[in-house]
Amino acid sequence: MLPRRLKKMLLVAICFLFSSFMFSAGAVETAANSGQRYSEIVETIKDNPRQAIKDLKKIADTNHFAAMEYLILLSIYEPQKVNTPEFEQIAERLHNLVTAQYAEIVAERSFYQKYQDGYEELTADGYLKCYKDLSCLIKAGAYNFSKFFNIWDEISPNIQYVPWGIVVPCETAQKLHLTAIVDGAYGGHGAETMDISDCNKYPQYNFPKDVEEYYTYIQQELRRESVGSIRFAYMAWDVYQNILNHYDPDWNFEHTRFSRGYSPEYLQARPLEAWAMESYPNYRYFQKIINHGIGFDRAVEKLTKHYVKAFRVDKDTARRYAHYAMTPWAAKSFPIDKETLRYKILSGVPTPKIKTWLADKKSKGEKFAEPEMPHPADDILMIAVHRPDVLKILIDSCSGNGEKSSCSGLNTDINGKNTFGKTALMYAAQYGFTESVKILLAAGADINAQTDEGNQKDSSCADDPCIANGSRTALMYAVQEGHLETAKYLVKNGADINLQDSMGMTVYDYLSGKAPYWGNFRPSPTKDVVLTRPEKPENKNVTPSRIKEFSEFLRKHRNRAD
């Protein structure tokens, strides 16, 4: 039995501990509730900012986001309160919290010294001066509250995009060019774009649906690729630019990529336009990009009208920015000379006009400035393989003369090779242009010519281009792409079915899909490429029945040859 006095003391202690626990639990609950309440309040800022100010004030003591948001809204809607003791006391509390957590985290991880330096730079003339300047206050809030608070424990799982933690009313964000802030993480994998305005609540800034679809497509299809963690900074920057293109276009290009490499000539060229002139495959891909959905030109036209209506700018300015916005960084181009032969061939100028133009230049003794490009490009016969009538005109008009043939400056060597050893015959076979194959063979093309040796022995090739299966023949290309009728013509006219590529693969391996080594596929531009051997190689361009039929054709041909 406990003495009565001890029983009383124990009961008092239990009651004290219980009340302490309940107070603590209540504090946790209050903090959690204030977080939920904060999320609800920021949704009301667009329609009733002054009520939001009153509501934020009630939870500013328990929620740091609310305190920062409260200061921002006061600065915008009640600027007379910026110099009050209340404003200064909240600013002091937030400043002390930020500096305290930097002191803690930098001691543990020196990487964050750069973020601490950034905050100290903002507040170099005194934190109150920064907090009373709206632009500086927003930047301090965005980097230290919107992205994270409480020592980076709440880093977004989507490292390229972080929705707001603080909210800047759209009109103010546009005036200050602070609809979003990009943190490149100094080139690291923590790069993020912070969306800090509520502009997405205003439907007038939405792109037309078909423009948005094309915009998303071309940005993903031509996404900038890079090696290492710097790619995250690039992707974050692309997200940032996307937000600006929608809500805060800079008509003078002062805050855009224009100031870091774009020049006016780029705004006259379509994406990939100059690159498309390098080869027939490039032009095919260019056509796919330009004509997807509503197409690039139509998208620019509709986006121009959108900018005129939504932002009330003149048409010329709107069109210049629309062209810029629709052109991904990785696809910028300079204007091309449309009075070149390769442009006329690729763009579909009628054959009679090309023939007349070619004859006129020859009669005048004028020279073509081939390859008509500022860097190495395929020769003109390779450019013309998809147009056998034009190909024949070029060959007939520029007859061979020794190892190399020349026609007014054009390299028309029937067996000429590009930078990795590919010939016009290989191109024709790869794309199934049987008529062009016949023309080239009749003109003396080497049916068993092989490309250069491959340079990619594993998945880490850093060369451009990376080629695992070198020493390929026209026959291998035709079979790889499923053009078996073209392949039969090659075999019947002397193509060696026993030749091996640089990986020891023969035409049989290309037929089955065992070659090329990494498979005959084009990796998705929106996913990281991992080069691994397929478990069950297959030629996706040929059906099993056609493989069987062509295998029988090769067997009979070999028997006849023996």
Side-chain angles (χ1 to χ4, degrees):
M1 294 289 293
L2 292 173
R4 182 180 301 231
R5 181 182 177 84
L6 188 57
K7 282 183 179 182
K8 187 175 181 178
M9 291 176 62
L10 183 58
L11 181 60
V12 170
I14 291 174
C15 290
F16 176 79
L17 290 173
F18 179 76
S19 62
S20 297
F21 171 77
M22 292 303 293
F23 177 81
S24 176
V28 172
E29 183 181 356
T30 300
N33 289 342
S34 70
Q36 176 62 33
R37 181 70 182 124
Y38 174 72
S39 299
E40 295 171 354
I41 294 171
V42 295
E43 293 294 329
T44 70
I45 292 175
K46 173 181 176 292
D47 299 316
N48 198 341
R50 296 190 182 278
Q51 182 60 49
I53 291 175
K54 295 178 181 178
D55 294 338
L56 288 168
K57 183 176 182 180
K58 296 175 182 178
I59 61 172
D61 290 339
T62 58
N63 186 288
H64 306 313
F65 288 103
M68 176 56 70
E69 186 69 38
Y70 179 60
L71 295 187
I72 290 173
L73 295 186
L74 280 182
S75 300
I76 297 171
Y77 297 105
E78 300 181 19
Q80 71 278 7
K81 294 185 178 180
V82 167
N83 292 313
T84 62
E86 178 198 26
F87 187 100
E88 293 179 355
Q89 288 169 6
I90 295 175
E92 181 180 16
R93 174 163 60 86
L94 294 179
H95 171 69
N96 289 339
L97 285 168
V98 172
T99 54
Q101 67 174 0
Y102 274 125
E104 180 180 343
I105 192 63
V106 171
E108 298 174 359
R109 301 179 66 182
S110 60
F111 170 78
Y112 294 108
Q113 177 68 55
K114 296 175 181 178
Y115 290 95
Q116 183 181 39
D117 292 344
Y119 183 77
E120 290 177 351
E121 182 177 349
L122 286 173
T123 58
D125 295 330
Y127 74 87
L128 271 181
K129 184 175 181 180
C130 174
Y131 279 54
K132 291 183 179 183
D133 176 271
L134 181 56
S135 180
C136 190
L137 174 64
I138 291 172
K139 291 176 184 178
Y143 281 116
N144 301 283
F145 290 82
S146 188
K147 181 179 181 182
F148 37 53
F149 193 83
N150 239 351
I151 309 305
W152 290 269
D153 288 336
E154 301 174 5
I155 290 180
S156 167
N158 181 343
I159 60 175
Q160 272 76 60
Y161 174 82
V162 183
W164 60 50
I166 60 166
V167 181
V168 184
C170 186
E171 184 178 358
T172 299
Q174 290 171 332
K175 287 180 180 178
L176 297 175
H177 298 299
L178 289 172
T179 52
I181 288 180
V182 65
D183 169 27
Y186 304 93
H189 57 73
E192 297 178 323
T193 291
M194 291 158 275
D195 182 358
I196 60 174
S197 81
D198 63 1
C199 291
N200 64 6
K201 291 183 175 293
Y202 294 79
Q204 66 264 36
Y205 299 123
N206 294 338
F207 287 178
K209 184 178 179 181
D210 49 3
V211 173
E212 187 67 57
E213 289 174 352
Y214 185 81
Y215 181 87
T216 301
Y217 161 79
I218 195 171
Q219 294 290 336
Q220 290 180 342
E221 183 73 13
L222 300 178
R223 191 182 72 185
R224 184 207 323 249
E225 295 291 349
S226 184
V227 177
S229 58
I230 188 65
R231 70 186 185 277
F232 296 108
Y234 287 153
M235 287 187 282
W237 182 266
D238 285 342
V239 172
Y240 171 69
Q241 192 62 53
N242 179 16
I243 294 173
L244 298 190
N245 290 344
H246 280 76
Y247 308 124
D248 187 23
D250 184 348
W251 312 116
N252 295 316
F253 290 81
E254 293 176 358
H255 302 284
T256 65
R257 293 181 302 234
F258 184 78
S259 62
R260 298 202 316 279
Y262 267 87
S263 62
E265 63 180 2
Y266 289 127
L267 301 177
Q268 303 169 25
R270 294 187 292 178
L272 302 176
E273 197 163 28
W275 174 82
M277 293 295 106
E278 294 181 17
S279 70
Y280 169 68
N282 284 14
Y283 192 79
R284 276 171 54 103
Y285 183 66
F286 165 74
Q287 286 293 307
K288 170 195 170 186
I289 295 297
I290 292 301
N291 295 315
H292 178 86
I294 64 171
F296 178 80
D297 295 335
R298 178 66 176 147
V300 169
E301 179 184 339
K302 292 192 72 172
L303 186 57
T304 298
K305 293 179 180 178
H306 163 77
Y307 280 144
V308 170
K309 181 179 179 181
F311 295 93
R312 299 178 182 177
V313 293
D314 65 86
K315 186 175 180 180
D316 288 341
T317 298
R319 192 191 183 286
R320 185 172 71 138
Y321 196 93
H323 191 292
Y324 160 80
M326 297 302 298
T327 304
W329 171 263
K332 68 176 184 174
S333 178
F334 53 84
I336 60 174
D337 183 358
K338 295 184 179 181
E339 290 301 313
T340 60
L341 180 56
R342 66 179 54 228
Y343 177 81
K344 294 178 184 295
I345 293 173
L346 290 171
S347 64
V349 171
T351 302
K353 289 188 176 181
I354 291 178
K355 184 177 182 179
T356 300
W357 187 68
L358 179 62
D360 183 60
K361 288 186 74 74
K362 285 187 67 178
S363 66
K364 294 178 181 178
E366 295 177 357
K367 296 286 186 180
F368 292 94
E370 282 292 326
E372 304 175 319
M373 297 294 295
H375 40 74
D378 284 352
D379 293 330
I380 202 68
L381 295 186
M382 303 171 194
I383 296 296
V385 292
H386 65 302
R387 300 184 62 178
D389 49 353
V390 175
L391 182 66
K392 190 167 185 353
I393 290 172
L394 288 171
I395 292 174
D396 291 344
S397 301
C398 307
S399 56
N401 182 12
E403 291 186 3
K404 294 270 185 179
S405 60
S406 179
C407 178
S408 300
L410 298 174
N411 182 6
T412 53
D413 178 9
I414 203 72
N415 288 309
K417 294 188 173 185
N418 67 8
T419 54
F420 53 94
K422 204 167 182 179
T423 66
L425 180 64
M426 294 174 193
Y427 271 125
Q430 179 179 0
Y431 291 100
F433 300 128
T434 305
E435 191 61 30
S436 292
V437 167
K438 295 178 181 179
I439 292 170
L440 290 164
L441 289 178
D446 182 356
I447 198 169
N448 290 313
Q450 294 179 276
T451 62
D452 296 343
E453 283 282 329
N455 59 2
Q456 183 171 350
K457 303 304 181 185
D458 54 40
S459 61
S460 60
C461 171
D463 294 337
D464 184 19
C466 289
I467 302 172
N469 295 78
S471 303
R472 295 192 212 185
T473 65
L475 178 60
M476 293 173 186
Y477 276 113
V479 171
Q480 170 188 314
E481 300 300 322
H483 302 302
L484 299 188
E485 294 305 313
T486 302
K488 287 181 181 179
Y489 185 85
L490 288 167
V491 171
K492 291 176 181 178
N493 284 273
D496 189 343
I497 65 176
N498 296 311
L499 286 177
Q500 297 181 352
D501 68 13
S502 60
M503 302 287 283
M505 304 293 185
T506 68
V507 64
Y508 294 96
D509 297 308
Y510 282 86
L511 181 63
S512 69
K514 187 177 179 181
Y517 191 73
W518 303 112
N520 55 348
F521 64 91
R522 179 176 181 269
S524 167
T526 60
K527 297 181 180 179
D528 291 336
V529 178
V530 179
L531 296 175
T532 57
R533 289 285 288 142
E535 293 182 7
K536 295 181 179 180
E538 62 175 319
N539 188 331
K540 298 179 181 179
N541 298 317
V542 188
T543 63
S545 61
R546 295 190 71 210
I547 290 177
K548 182 178 180 181
E549 186 269 333
F550 190 73
S551 297
E552 181 62 18
F553 165 80
L554 291 177
R555 186 186 66 78
K556 290 180 179 179
H557 177 80
R558 172 171 283 178
N559 289 340
R560 285 196 298 270
D562 293 342

Tab-separated table of all heavy atoms in Angstrom, residues 32-43 45 56 59 63-70 164-167:
chain	number	residue	atom	x	y	z
A	32	ALA	N	-0.409	19.963	-38.702
A	32	ALA	CA	-0.909	19.213	-39.857
A	32	ALA	C	-2.129	19.899	-40.451
A	32	ALA	O	-2.273	20.030	-41.666
A	32	ALA	CB	-1.239	17.779	-39.455
A	33	ASN	N	-3.016	20.321	-39.550
A	33	ASN	CA	-4.220	21.003	-40.022
A	33	ASN	C	-3.886	22.306	-40.737
A	33	ASN	O	-4.538	22.682	-41.705
A	33	ASN	CB	-5.161	21.284	-38.854
A	33	ASN	CG	-5.803	20.008	-38.320
A	33	ASN	OD1	-5.805	18.991	-38.996
A	33	ASN	ND2	-6.328	20.076	-37.101
A	34	SER	N	-2.876	23.015	-40.225
A	34	SER	CA	-2.511	24.287	-40.851
A	34	SER	C	-1.966	24.058	-42.255
A	34	SER	O	-2.162	24.878	-43.150
A	34	SER	CB	-1.484	25.043	-40.001
A	34	SER	OG	-0.225	24.378	-40.023
A	35	GLY	N	-1.271	22.925	-42.451
A	35	GLY	CA	-0.781	22.594	-43.790
A	35	GLY	C	-1.921	22.366	-44.759
A	35	GLY	O	-1.899	22.857	-45.893
A	36	GLN	N	-2.926	21.607	-44.298
A	36	GLN	CA	-4.095	21.366	-45.130
A	36	GLN	C	-4.847	22.670	-45.380
A	36	GLN	O	-5.304	22.946	-46.487
A	36	GLN	CB	-5.021	20.350	-44.452
A	36	GLN	CG	-6.329	20.097	-45.190
A	36	GLN	CD	-6.115	19.513	-46.561
A	36	GLN	OE1	-5.179	18.747	-46.789
A	36	GLN	NE2	-6.988	19.885	-47.506
A	37	ARG	N	-4.954	23.458	-44.328
A	37	ARG	CA	-5.669	24.737	-44.450
A	37	ARG	C	-4.949	25.660	-45.422
A	37	ARG	O	-5.584	26.366	-46.209
A	37	ARG	CB	-5.765	25.390	-43.072
A	37	ARG	CG	-6.508	26.706	-43.059
A	37	ARG	CD	-7.990	26.500	-43.296
A	37	ARG	NE	-8.679	27.789	-43.336
A	37	ARG	CZ	-9.421	28.201	-44.346
A	37	ARG	NH1	-9.585	27.427	-45.411
A	37	ARG	NH2	-10.023	29.364	-44.308
A	38	TYR	N	-3.608	25.638	-45.379
A	38	TYR	CA	-2.834	26.479	-46.287
A	38	TYR	C	-3.128	26.120	-47.743
A	38	TYR	O	-3.344	27.001	-48.580
A	38	TYR	CB	-1.335	26.334	-46.003
A	38	TYR	CG	-0.477	27.071	-47.000
A	38	TYR	CD1	-0.404	28.462	-46.997
A	38	TYR	CD2	0.259	26.384	-47.965
A	38	TYR	CE1	0.367	29.151	-47.921
A	38	TYR	CE2	1.032	27.059	-48.888
A	38	TYR	CZ	1.081	28.446	-48.861
A	38	TYR	OH	1.838	29.118	-49.780
A	39	SER	N	-3.147	24.818	-48.042
A	39	SER	CA	-3.437	24.364	-49.406
A	39	SER	C	-4.801	24.841	-49.869
A	39	SER	O	-4.994	25.177	-51.039
A	39	SER	CB	-3.355	22.835	-49.483
A	39	SER	OG	-2.062	22.376	-49.156
A	40	GLU	N	-5.745	24.856	-48.951
A	40	GLU	CA	-7.096	25.310	-49.294
A	40	GLU	C	-7.121	26.815	-49.535
A	40	GLU	O	-7.796	27.303	-50.457
A	40	GLU	CB	-8.058	24.941	-48.165
A	40	GLU	CG	-8.235	23.437	-47.972
A	40	GLU	CD	-9.020	23.102	-46.708
A	40	GLU	OE1	-9.320	24.045	-45.935
A	40	GLU	OE2	-9.321	21.913	-46.493
A	41	ILE	N	-6.366	27.535	-48.733
A	41	ILE	CA	-6.383	28.999	-48.844
A	41	ILE	C	-5.780	29.465	-50.162
A	41	ILE	O	-6.325	30.359	-50.820
A	41	ILE	CB	-5.643	29.649	-47.657
A	41	ILE	CG1	-6.389	29.380	-46.355
A	41	ILE	CG2	-5.487	31.157	-47.871
A	41	ILE	CD1	-5.622	29.802	-45.109
A	42	VAL	N	-4.650	28.867	-50.558
A	42	VAL	CA	-3.997	29.349	-51.778
A	42	VAL	C	-4.878	29.156	-53.008
A	42	VAL	O	-4.725	29.863	-54.011
A	42	VAL	CB	-2.628	28.666	-51.999
A	42	VAL	CG1	-1.657	29.026	-50.905
A	42	VAL	CG2	-2.765	27.156	-52.139
A	43	GLU	N	-5.813	28.197	-52.927
A	43	GLU	CA	-6.723	27.997	-54.049
A	43	GLU	C	-7.714	29.159	-54.180
A	43	GLU	O	-8.363	29.308	-55.222
A	43	GLU	CB	-7.491	26.681	-53.883
A	43	GLU	CG	-6.633	25.432	-53.983
A	43	GLU	CD	-6.046	25.251	-55.375
A	43	GLU	OE1	-6.696	25.674	-56.353
A	43	GLU	OE2	-4.936	24.696	-55.496
A	45	ILE	N	-6.866	32.437	-53.702
A	45	ILE	CA	-6.184	33.713	-53.945
A	45	ILE	C	-6.661	34.371	-55.228
A	45	ILE	O	-6.877	35.584	-55.279
A	45	ILE	CB	-4.654	33.503	-53.975
A	45	ILE	CG1	-4.151	33.126	-52.581
A	45	ILE	CG2	-3.942	34.761	-54.469
A	45	ILE	CD1	-2.679	32.783	-52.535
A	56	LEU	N	-4.746	33.598	-44.154
A	56	LEU	CA	-3.335	33.241	-43.969
A	56	LEU	C	-2.797	33.773	-42.641
A	56	LEU	O	-1.977	33.129	-41.983
A	56	LEU	CB	-2.497	33.802	-45.134
A	56	LEU	CG	-2.665	33.115	-46.488
A	56	LEU	CD1	-2.028	33.936	-47.603
A	56	LEU	CD2	-2.044	31.712	-46.456
A	59	ILE	N	-3.018	31.435	-39.617
A	59	ILE	CA	-2.145	30.251	-39.493
A	59	ILE	C	-0.677	30.581	-39.731
A	59	ILE	O	0.166	29.689	-39.800
A	59	ILE	CB	-2.583	29.132	-40.464
A	59	ILE	CG1	-2.488	29.611	-41.920
A	59	ILE	CG2	-3.977	28.649	-40.141
A	59	ILE	CD1	-2.713	28.487	-42.936
A	63	ASN	N	2.575	27.882	-39.723
A	63	ASN	CA	2.912	27.376	-41.056
A	63	ASN	C	3.821	28.384	-41.757
A	63	ASN	O	3.435	29.524	-42.017
A	63	ASN	CB	1.630	27.149	-41.868
A	63	ASN	CG	1.911	26.486	-43.210
A	63	ASN	OD1	2.452	27.106	-44.112
A	63	ASN	ND2	1.526	25.219	-43.324
A	64	HIS	N	5.050	27.942	-42.071
A	64	HIS	CA	6.029	28.848	-42.663
A	64	HIS	C	5.627	29.278	-44.075
A	64	HIS	O	5.882	30.413	-44.476
A	64	HIS	CB	7.401	28.180	-42.688
A	64	HIS	CG	7.848	27.677	-41.353
A	64	HIS	ND1	7.753	28.443	-40.211
A	64	HIS	CD2	8.389	26.492	-40.965
A	64	HIS	CE1	8.218	27.748	-39.171
A	64	HIS	NE2	8.604	26.555	-39.607
A	65	PHE	N	5.028	28.342	-44.830
A	65	PHE	CA	4.550	28.707	-46.159
A	65	PHE	C	3.517	29.828	-46.048
A	65	PHE	O	3.531	30.786	-46.812
A	65	PHE	CB	3.907	27.499	-46.854
A	65	PHE	CG	4.883	26.461	-47.306
A	65	PHE	CD1	5.042	25.284	-46.599
A	65	PHE	CD2	5.635	26.646	-48.453
A	65	PHE	CE1	5.935	24.314	-47.021
A	65	PHE	CE2	6.530	25.688	-48.887
A	65	PHE	CZ	6.681	24.514	-48.176
A	66	ALA	N	2.609	29.666	-45.109
A	66	ALA	CA	1.553	30.663	-44.930
A	66	ALA	C	2.143	32.016	-44.564
A	66	ALA	O	1.673	33.068	-45.034
A	66	ALA	CB	0.573	30.197	-43.855
A	67	ALA	N	3.177	32.010	-43.736
A	67	ALA	CA	3.807	33.266	-43.331
A	67	ALA	C	4.444	33.963	-44.534
A	67	ALA	O	4.294	35.178	-44.716
A	67	ALA	CB	4.855	32.991	-42.250
A	68	MET	N	5.152	33.189	-45.357
A	68	MET	CA	5.780	33.767	-46.546
A	68	MET	C	4.721	34.259	-47.526
A	68	MET	O	4.817	35.361	-48.084
A	68	MET	CB	6.692	32.732	-47.206
A	68	MET	CG	7.324	33.197	-48.526
A	68	MET	SD	8.272	34.745	-48.410
A	68	MET	CE	9.701	34.200	-47.458
A	69	GLU	N	3.681	33.455	-47.735
A	69	GLU	CA	2.608	33.846	-48.651
A	69	GLU	C	1.905	35.108	-48.148
A	69	GLU	O	1.534	35.986	-48.939
A	69	GLU	CB	1.598	32.699	-48.788
A	69	GLU	CG	0.514	32.933	-49.824
A	69	GLU	CD	1.057	32.915	-51.239
A	69	GLU	OE1	1.962	32.107	-51.545
A	69	GLU	OE2	0.577	33.731	-52.056
A	70	TYR	N	1.728	35.195	-46.851
A	70	TYR	CA	1.091	36.358	-46.241
A	70	TYR	C	1.879	37.625	-46.546
A	70	TYR	O	1.308	38.660	-46.923
A	70	TYR	CB	0.991	36.129	-44.728
A	70	TYR	CG	0.369	37.261	-43.944
A	70	TYR	CD1	-0.937	37.682	-44.193
A	70	TYR	CD2	1.093	37.898	-42.936
A	70	TYR	CE1	-1.513	38.707	-43.456
A	70	TYR	CE2	0.529	38.930	-42.193
A	70	TYR	CZ	-0.770	39.331	-42.464
A	70	TYR	OH	-1.331	40.352	-41.728
A	164	TRP	N	3.715	24.795	-57.091
A	164	TRP	CA	3.981	25.850	-56.120
A	164	TRP	C	3.922	25.400	-54.660
A	164	TRP	O	3.160	24.558	-54.264
A	164	TRP	CB	3.030	27.017	-56.342
A	164	TRP	CG	1.569	26.706	-56.214
A	164	TRP	CD1	0.945	26.055	-55.193
A	164	TRP	CD2	0.545	27.044	-57.141
A	164	TRP	NE1	-0.387	25.985	-55.410
A	164	TRP	CE2	-0.673	26.578	-56.604
A	164	TRP	CE3	0.524	27.707	-58.368
A	164	TRP	CZ2	-1.885	26.749	-57.260
A	164	TRP	CZ3	-0.683	27.880	-59.001
A	164	TRP	CH2	-1.864	27.400	-58.456
A	165	GLY	N	4.780	26.009	-53.860
A	165	GLY	CA	4.677	25.930	-52.418
A	165	GLY	C	4.219	27.300	-51.940
A	165	GLY	O	3.519	27.439	-50.955
A	166	ILE	N	4.652	28.340	-52.685
A	166	ILE	CA	4.096	29.672	-52.509
A	166	ILE	C	3.450	30.037	-53.835
A	166	ILE	O	3.752	29.450	-54.869
A	166	ILE	CB	5.172	30.712	-52.141
A	166	ILE	CG1	6.226	30.807	-53.249
A	166	ILE	CG2	5.816	30.391	-50.812
A	166	ILE	CD1	7.104	32.020	-53.134
A	167	VAL	N	2.537	30.989	-53.812
A	167	VAL	CA	1.787	31.349	-55.013
A	167	VAL	C	1.918	32.843	-55.274
A	167	VAL	O	1.650	33.653	-54.384
A	167	VAL	CB	0.295	30.991	-54.861
A	167	VAL	CG1	-0.462	31.345	-56.139
A	167	VAL	CG2	0.134	29.525	-54.528
